[in-house]
């Protein structure tokens, strides 16, 4: 796709995500309808679904032939496919409210995330930290926070904090607990989008979690200009299908992380 | 002490904490001098010390006979006692920068905390969330966020999040991990002051950590109007001396928490 066409898609993505954020802010003090998905702590609200429908409608109006990979299942009256294969064609990846539990309980630390991939290659990433009003966006070459280009300075592990999934941290999956002992500590914020924003703001060194494609699609594009990789714990690519344990870390640190993993595997023997 | 005298002390406390916050904001982009205390991840900066000296000087000018219990050791050229016994007389308890690691690494999620106790009874609590500019203050009877009186509605555990110390969480101290399984999850923010602010904002149900007196003195006063207790894990009082594992939780939940503790002790046998 031409550069100009991509630029138009990026502008549309930014606009739709900003509108989604405004919509959520307008409904922030509403009583939301909460539904349990897989279990009592896996929640979705009517607003997740409303935002998803809004954003998809906005894209479809401009690009009727593009595909979607989105968090919430399509309603029964909406027969369209929202779980399209990332490798096949022009695919928009959407998480309408990332950190739904935070949205429900805290009314803070949640994000709207939208990405665009062509045949599996990330071309656009957009994350809105809704409460702080900061929009992070990029094309995989450069990333911006609002109107300012982001620059990232990699700090030593011993002067850094890690963003973690609490299960993986406490069970030392991939040596994550051991790794954390050589840092200033871990932070658990409960939203992939906010963790990505924290990497882009230089607040955490990297992020380790158990995520679905819509949780990492935008963050992966936004971190690419800084030589970060978003991969499985063993360094292999993510499949953009089900939930997978993964990490977003500086590429030049993969060997160091592999050492911690090897040592933790030794211990388990 | 008379009510009018206490009101004057409260106004002074608010003023000094606001000034400390302004000072930290003015120096937020400075290169700070960082010193290791007990180990590489236990840090103090020149700004912690500067704020402590400023606040103590401000109190001393008005109340020369009052005592202090403050986080940072007094410099060698400052022979005054800043580790006074909380049970003895009029004692100001100060944490100049709570969440020093966050301050250094993230430039976010840190707090200035000041409390005032008379013979061990909390009379004043003040916490400033420096970056968001929100001042939480109270006299143990009522608590305020800026100019608005705070009201707290207790939610069921299953609809709540917990603020935790990551060590206590992952090792299930006091049954904390087991307790967390019956909640929507845990959040680790790395600053007692910000955790207290999160309780006061209704974002977390309670807070479990391993703290020194200056970490919990102000929060304890601010939560008292809502029938919260700030106690050791077995429910006994804190000694306001060394670091202790503790919790700030709704008093009517102590029996439920004790059940989790008993079950976790059973498992360990």
């Amino acid at each position: 796709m031409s550069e100009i066409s991509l630029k138009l898609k990026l502008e549309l993505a930014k606009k739709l995500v900003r509108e989604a954020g405004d919509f959520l802010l307008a409904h922030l003090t509403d009583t939301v309808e909460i539904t349990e998905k897989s279990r009592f702590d896996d929640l979705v609200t009517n607003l997740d679904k409303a935002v998803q429908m809004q954003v998809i409608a906005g894209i479809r109006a401009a690009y009727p032939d593009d595909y979607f990979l989105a968090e919430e299942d399509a309603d029964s009256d909406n027969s369209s496919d929202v779980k399209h294969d990332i490798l096949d064609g022009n695919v928009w990846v959407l998480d309408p409210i990332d950190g739904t539990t935070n949205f429900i309980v805290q009314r803070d630390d949640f994000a709207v995330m939208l990405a665009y991939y062509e045949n599996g290659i990330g071309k656009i990433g957009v994350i809105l930290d809704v409460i702080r009003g900061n929009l992070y966006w990029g094309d995989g070459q450069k990333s911006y926070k609002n109107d300012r280009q982001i620059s990232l300075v990699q700090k030593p592990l011993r002067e850094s904090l890690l963003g973690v999934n609490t299960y993986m941290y406490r069970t030392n999956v991939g040596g994550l607990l051991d790794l954390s002992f050589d840092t200033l500590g871990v932070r658990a914020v409960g939203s992939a989008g906010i963790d990505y924003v924290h990497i882009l703001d230089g607040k955490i060194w990297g992020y380790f979690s158990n995520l679905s494609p819509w949780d990492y699609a935008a963050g992966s594009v936004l971190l690419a200009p800084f030589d970060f990789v978003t991969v499985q714990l063993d360094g292999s690519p993510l499949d953009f299908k089900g939930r997978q344990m993964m990490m977003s870390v500086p590429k030049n640190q993969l060997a160091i992380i592999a050492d911690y993993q090897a040592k933790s595997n030794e211990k388990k023997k």
Side-chain angles (χ1 to χ4, degrees), chain A:
Chain A
M1 179 165 276
S2 78
E3 219 171 285
I4 289 174
S5 307
L6 265 178
K7 214 171 147 60
L8 287 173
K9 286 195 169 178
L10 175 57
E11 289 310 311
L12 178 65
K14 288 165 65 180
K15 174 176 165 282
L16 292 172
V17 169
R18 276 276 186 211
E19 286 173 0
D22 291 343
F23 173 82
L24 290 171
L25 287 176
H27 291 274
L28 203 62
T29 55
D30 290 8
T31 303
V32 294
E33 292 165 32
I34 302 167
T35 311
E36 292 178 14
K37 293 200 284 190
S38 59
R39 28 173 287 159
F40 85 94
D41 57 357
D42 181 20
L43 302 170
V44 64
T45 75
N46 55 319
L47 295 177
D48 296 73
K49 294 173 184 171
V51 167
Q52 177 161 319
M53 285 180 68
Q54 271 182 33
V55 174
I56 289 182
I59 296 169
R60 216 167 246 159
Y63 303 100
D65 297 330
D66 283 2
Y67 301 109
F68 296 93
L69 175 57
E71 178 171 23
E72 307 312 331
D73 291 334
D75 289 324
S76 51
D77 62 337
N78 176 352
S79 61
S80 67
D81 174 26
V82 292
K83 304 284 185 215
H84 193 80
D85 181 354
I86 192 83
L87 294 174
D88 175 37
N90 299 346
V91 186
W92 295 83
V93 189
L94 171 65
D95 192 343
I97 303 180
D98 178 74
T100 298
T101 298
N102 284 352
F103 173 71
I104 294 169
V105 179
Q106 307 202 320
R107 302 292 156 120
D108 200 352
D109 282 336
F110 59 93
V112 179
M113 298 203 281
L114 181 61
Y116 171 71
Y117 280 63
E118 289 181 353
N119 301 315
I121 311 293
K123 298 289 186 182
I124 291 170
V126 180
I127 300 178
L128 178 67
D129 176 346
V130 176
I131 293 300
R132 286 166 201 78
N134 290 321
L135 190 77
Y136 300 74
W137 55 279
D139 59 3
Q141 311 298 316
K142 292 179 181 174
S143 294
Y144 294 80
K145 177 179 181 177
N146 302 319
D147 295 329
R148 188 177 53 74
Q149 192 182 335
I150 297 169
S151 60
L152 262 190
V153 180
Q154 191 181 313
K155 278 184 284 191
L157 264 174
R158 278 173 74 96
E159 298 173 17
S160 301
L161 295 162
L162 303 181
V164 301
N165 163 290
T166 52
Y167 166 79
M168 289 166 59
Y169 163 72
R170 69 180 157 80
T171 57
N172 199 25
V173 171
L176 178 56
L177 177 63
D178 295 332
L179 178 71
S180 78
F181 291 146
D182 291 331
T183 71
L184 293 174
V186 299
R187 298 291 179 263
V189 68
S191 156
I194 300 300
D195 272 293
Y196 278 115
V197 158
H198 283 179
I199 296 178
L200 292 164
D201 283 343
K203 291 181 176 179
I204 55 174
W205 182 93
Y207 177 45
F208 300 77
S209 195
N210 185 20
L211 299 182
S212 299
W214 39 83
D215 296 316
Y216 57 73
S220 171
V221 174
L222 286 166
L223 285 172
F226 311 108
D227 286 323
F228 269 64
V229 287
T230 297
V231 290
Q232 294 190 56
L233 298 184
D234 63 3
S236 63
L238 291 156
D239 66 11
F240 282 82
K241 290 194 165 66
R243 182 167 279 223
Q244 290 179 296
M245 294 204 193
M246 50 66 67
M247 57 189 182
S248 285
V249 296
K251 191 175 183 182
N252 64 13
Q253 301 292 300
L254 282 174
I256 288 165
I257 294 168
D259 277 352
Y260 284 94
Q261 293 178 354
K263 276 179 204 149
S264 80
N265 289 336
E266 275 303 307
K267 275 200 278 185
K268 279 174 192 158
K269 276 178 189 166

